[in-house]
Amino acid sequence: MTKSQLINELINHASHISHKDMTQIVETIFDSMSHALKAGDRIELRGFGTFEVRVREPRMGRNPKSGSKVELGIRKVPFFKAGKELKEKLNESGE
């Protein structure tokens, strides 16, 4: 699902909100989540999952084009862990 598909789905459930307003709402939510992760906060959406930032230690990588070794520094990467309810919905039989 793309962001525009999400916005259209939300408008179908809340038709009293304009497309422009719904777009602003979704953008605000994503911006808030990005700022929280950048600040080192953990985001927990009960029934859906958690988002957090994990730190990858420096390591030696490889340039796939040339095959030469490349030193990779410390990196922060987003991590998502699905919640129990989401896992159960994904594994329901009958769909």
Side-chain angles (χ1 to χ4, degrees):
M1 175 179 278
T2 63
K3 191 186 307 186
S4 60
Q5 290 172 328
L6 173 63
I7 291 168
N8 290 331
E9 185 70 25
L10 292 171
I11 289 172
N12 289 338
H13 285 61
S15 57
H16 63 283
I17 299 176
S18 71
H19 188 277
K20 181 180 175 183
D21 289 342
M22 189 62 77
T23 301
Q24 187 173 2
I25 290 167
V26 170
E27 289 290 338
T28 301
I29 291 169
F30 288 162
D31 287 344
S32 298
M33 291 175 73
S34 296
H35 291 300
L37 290 172
K38 189 173 182 180
D41 295 336
R42 182 173 178 259
I43 301 169
E44 182 177 335
L45 303 173
R46 300 272 171 148
F48 185 72
T50 57
F51 297 88
E52 63 184 42
V53 175
R54 292 197 175 168
V55 177
R56 288 206 178 152
E57 296 300 321
R59 64 183 177 92
M60 290 301 292
R62 187 181 63 84
N63 181 335
K65 188 173 184 179
S66 67
S68 62
K69 291 186 176 185
V70 179
E71 188 174 328
L72 301 172
I74 293 176
R75 295 184 302 158
K76 294 180 181 180
V77 293
F79 180 78
F80 173 75
K81 182 177 179 185
K84 180 181 175 184
E85 291 178 33
L86 177 59
K87 289 178 187 177
E88 288 172 354
K89 284 182 182 180
L90 292 174
N91 291 306
E92 285 178 353
S93 59
E95 289 190 31

